[in-house]
């Protein structure tokens, strides 16, 4: 087993780049990339880093030279032969050749496009511009780099035995979570923690601990490199990025209202009826379900990713019932701000009524809360989102208005088009 504390202490080792492969990313990113490559390959987008936790002065904590070194390293990466073979030949969700030859031929040759980095006050402005299939693949590695460099800045001040004790405490903390979850009946849980992880080595350790401690209750990881190396299931479907860009490209309010459903129509065609999980909250879950075409009710399930998870799940159950579907045969995936107590609560509350699954992110792979002075390793909320498409601003509303993004005038327009009424605010934890 890797001695993580020793690797962290010996900062001269070059064997631990923060991102070590183009498939050191989330599975849904690759699935979405293939869909974009097929349906919207020439769309020009801009992605931008957004630090929601303004009290974290990233530019004061993270050295610009180190940040550039890590980003430049990512631009040097390309698929290895083994990685390409894994993507081309492995079985994902019971399907061989999930990734088609045309996409793989393109991906085999890919190098990520340039980035723009500038210090603005105590924050960094980090943006990526270019064709959508290329630029979108910056999101996960960019977030992972910033998060780990911030962790390294804190850890650099610690001595060898301090590091050993720190990681021993963090391992104990995670294992206590595993013990809490071990006896939860019918639990299904996956690692969704790549983007805001403490480090690659720590995420890998967490995945192995979950796999050993939970057995079949641990169903896989969103991280493709870890899934490949550990012979685990790669888990993921789609994310908010797709409707955000499709909506920005709409020429009228009518096209805008159809955009979230156009996304899923293209997705259905892309995957021939597989991976049928709806993410309804980009422009409000309630309005999405009210106006959804009938064919979506036959899909496998829904991911609840913002707002009150209980309210979101209950809305989905009532929606299925109203359309003659049996909720007990449907899947609800909870994935927002989870900790072990919330997982137990939601599993207990909805078990038997629907099939329940969890995508556990930051509080699985980056929970060092309370382990260092001033809580300097506590995770924080940071995202990397598309902010424009073909020169038009993108918008996200969410079921939590604190997660909304976009120009105020466009947010108001989207709320009108998608019939979003009063919303309850929730603290954004991670």
């Amino acid at each position: 087993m890797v001695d993580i504390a020793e690797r962290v202490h010996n900062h001269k080792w070059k064997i631990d780049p923060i991102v070590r492969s183009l498939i050191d990313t989330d599975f849904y990113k690759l699935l979405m990339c293939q869909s974009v490559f097929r349906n919207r390959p020439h769309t020009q987008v801009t992605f931008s880093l957004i630090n929601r936790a303004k009290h974290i002065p990233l530019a004061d904590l993270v050295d610009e030279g180190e940040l550039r070194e890590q980003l430049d390293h990512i631009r040097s990466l390309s698929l290895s032969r083994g990685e390409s073979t894994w993507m081309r030949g492995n079985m994902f969700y019971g399907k061989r050749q999930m990734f088609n030859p045309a996409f793989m031929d393109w991906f085999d040759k890919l190098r990520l496009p340039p980035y723009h980095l500038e210090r603005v006050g105590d924050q960094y402005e980090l943006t990526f511009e270019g064709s959508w299939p290329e630029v979108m693949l910056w999101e996960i590695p960019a977030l992972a780099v910033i998060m780990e460099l911030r962790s390294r800045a804190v850890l650099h001040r610690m001595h060898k035995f301090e590091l050993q004790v720190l990681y021993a405490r963090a391992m104990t903390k995670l294992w206590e979570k595993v013990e809490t979850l071990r006896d939860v009946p019918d639990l299904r849980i996956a690692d969704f923690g790549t983007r805001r992880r403490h480090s690659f080595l720590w995420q890998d350790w967490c995945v192995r601990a979950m796999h050993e401690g939970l057995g079949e209750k641990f169903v896989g990881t969103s991280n493709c490199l870890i899934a490949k190396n550990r012979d685990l299931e790669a888990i993921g479907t789609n994310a908010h990025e797709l409707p955000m860009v499709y909506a920005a490209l709409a020429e009228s309010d009518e096209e805008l209202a159809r955009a979230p459903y156009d996304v899923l129509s293209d997705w259905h065609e892309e995957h021939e009826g597989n991976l049928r999980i709806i993410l309804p909250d980009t422009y409000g879950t309630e309005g999405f379900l009210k106006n959804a075409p009938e064919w979506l009710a036959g899909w496998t399930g829904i991911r609840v990713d913002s707002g009150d998870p209980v309210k979101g799940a209950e809305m989905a159950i009532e929606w299925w019932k109203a359309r003659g579907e049996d909720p007990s045969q449907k899947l609800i995936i909870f994935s927002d701000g989870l900790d072990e107590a919330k997982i137990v609560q939601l599993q207990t509350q909805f078990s038997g009524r629907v099939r329940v699954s969890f995508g556990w992110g930051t509080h699985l792979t980056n929970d060092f809360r309370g382990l260092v002075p001033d809580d300097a390793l506590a995770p924080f909320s940071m995202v990397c989102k598309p902010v424009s498409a073909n020169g038009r601003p993108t918008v996200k509303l969410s079921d939590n208005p604190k997660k909304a993004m976009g120009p105020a005038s466009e947010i108001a327009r989207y709320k009108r088009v998608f019939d979003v009424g009063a919303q309850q605010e929730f603290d954004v934890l991670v």
Side-chain angles (χ1 to χ4, degrees):
M1 182 174 291
V2 172
D3 186 335
I4 300 176
E6 178 67 26
R7 292 272 269 267
V8 169
H9 182 256
N10 192 341
H11 293 282
K12 296 180 181 179
W13 286 15
K14 292 294 185 181
I15 62 172
D16 285 324
I18 293 174
V19 175
R20 51 198 73 199
S21 164
L22 284 184
I23 68 166
D24 182 9
T25 191
D26 282 334
F27 188 50
Y28 80 84
K29 264 294 173 181
L30 301 183
L31 293 171
M32 291 198 306
C33 187
Q34 176 171 252
S35 183
V36 170
F37 177 79
R38 176 183 178 183
N39 295 298
R40 306 287 176 112
H42 304 300
T43 300
Q44 298 295 297
V45 301
T46 299
F47 272 66
S48 182
L49 186 80
I50 301 168
N51 180 12
R52 292 170 172 159
K54 298 300 185 184
H55 65 284
I56 305 291
L58 289 175
D60 291 340
L61 296 171
V62 173
D63 179 78
E64 183 175 337
E66 287 187 78
L67 176 53
R68 289 186 182 276
E69 182 181 28
Q70 294 291 340
L71 296 173
D72 289 341
H73 171 73
I74 294 170
R75 292 200 65 213
S76 74
L77 295 172
S78 62
L79 283 191
S80 71
R81 181 178 298 178
E83 291 164 350
S84 180
T85 299
W86 179 77
M87 288 183 65
R88 289 173 185 267
N90 195 50
M91 182 175 289
F92 302 103
Y93 287 91
K95 179 182 177 182
R96 291 236 181 249
Q97 288 196 322
M98 181 73 78
F99 298 100
N100 66 58
F103 172 74
M104 287 306 307
D105 290 345
W106 170 83
F107 195 26
D108 279 340
K109 301 180 182 70
L110 179 69
R111 300 293 193 282
L112 291 193
Y115 60 88
H116 171 78
L117 176 65
E118 181 179 352
R119 178 172 179 146
V120 180
D122 61 3
Q123 302 293 335
Y124 283 119
E125 180 181 277
L126 178 59
T127 57
F128 312 93
E129 298 181 4
S131 68
W132 191 7
E134 295 181 352
V135 172
M136 66 187 297
L137 294 176
W138 263 117
E139 177 187 353
I140 306 301
L143 290 170
V145 162
I146 293 285
M147 296 301 285
E148 185 164 347
L149 283 178
R150 183 260 195 164
S151 295
R152 289 185 180 190
V154 175
L155 298 171
H156 184 68
R157 304 192 293 264
M158 302 178 71
H159 299 294
K160 183 175 180 179
F161 284 100
E162 287 182 285
L163 290 168
Q164 292 283 3
V165 171
L166 171 67
Y167 280 103
R169 287 173 174 166
M171 289 174 177
T172 300
K173 187 176 186 180
L174 176 58
W175 193 252
E176 288 173 348
K177 296 181 182 185
V178 170
E179 290 178 327
T180 296
L181 298 174
R182 179 181 283 158
D183 296 325
V184 177
D186 303 318
L187 180 68
R188 287 174 49 85
I189 190 166
D191 157 43
F192 275 20
T194 299
R195 65 182 54 219
R196 288 188 285 264
R197 67 193 182 194
H198 172 75
S199 71
F200 174 83
L201 292 178
W202 182 248
Q203 182 183 12
D204 185 53
W205 190 91
C206 292
V207 167
R208 285 184 290 158
M210 293 281 282
H211 187 215
E212 178 177 314
L214 297 180
E216 293 183 355
K217 293 179 179 180
F218 181 66
V219 297
T221 174
S222 66
N223 187 288
C224 295
L225 183 60
I226 294 175
K228 171 185 171 291
N229 291 347
R230 301 297 176 190
D231 195 25
L232 296 169
E233 291 291 334
I235 302 293
T237 52
N238 56 67
H240 303 105
E241 170 186 343
L242 292 178
M244 288 175 68
V245 174
Y246 273 52
L249 300 176
E251 297 289 349
S252 66
D253 285 358
E254 290 73 20
E255 287 188 17
L256 175 59
R258 290 198 307 269
Y261 311 114
D262 290 341
V263 167
L264 298 179
S265 179
D266 284 349
W267 188 262
H268 182 82
E269 183 179 345
E270 176 74 28
H271 294 290
E272 301 172 338
N274 206 345
L275 300 171
R276 300 192 305 169
I277 301 296
I278 302 167
L279 180 62
D281 70 321
T282 310
Y283 303 119
T285 296
E286 187 172 359
F288 178 96
L289 295 178
K290 181 174 68 175
N291 297 307
E294 290 297 321
W295 53 268
L296 272 178
W299 277 35
T300 304
I302 280 177
R303 180 156 71 94
V304 177
D305 193 57
S306 63
D308 180 345
V310 173
K311 180 180 177 181
E314 294 290 359
M315 277 196 291
I317 290 170
E318 291 306 311
W319 179 68
W320 282 317
K321 286 180 178 178
R323 281 154 181 76
E325 299 286 335
D326 180 1
S328 69
Q329 301 304 307
K330 298 295 186 178
L331 176 66
I332 293 181
I333 303 171
F334 296 101
S335 59
D336 181 35
L338 297 172
D339 58 25
E340 67 275 22
K342 178 64 72 173
I343 291 168
V344 172
Q345 175 201 330
L346 292 169
Q347 176 69 30
T348 302
Q349 187 165 352
F350 289 99
S351 181
R353 300 179 62 198
V354 294
R355 295 160 53 215
V356 180
S357 188
F358 298 92
W360 200 5
T362 309
H363 288 157
L364 168 63
T365 62
N366 196 2
D367 190 4
F368 284 70
R369 293 173 296 175
L371 298 183
V372 298
D374 300 323
D375 228 3
L377 283 178
F380 62 98
S381 183
M382 181 175 64
V383 295
C384 185
K385 296 288 188 183
V387 294
S388 72
N390 287 354
R392 298 176 178 177
T394 61
V395 172
K396 181 187 175 190
L397 299 181
S398 176
D399 285 330
N400 180 1
K402 285 192 174 182
K403 287 188 173 182
M405 57 170 287
S409 60
E410 285 297 286
I411 288 176
R413 175 187 170 224
Y414 276 59
K415 284 186 173 182
R416 172 179 57 79
V417 169
F418 291 105
D419 193 22
V420 177
Q423 292 180 297
Q424 181 181 354
E425 290 190 351
F426 297 87
D427 289 336
V428 180
L429 301 177
V430 287

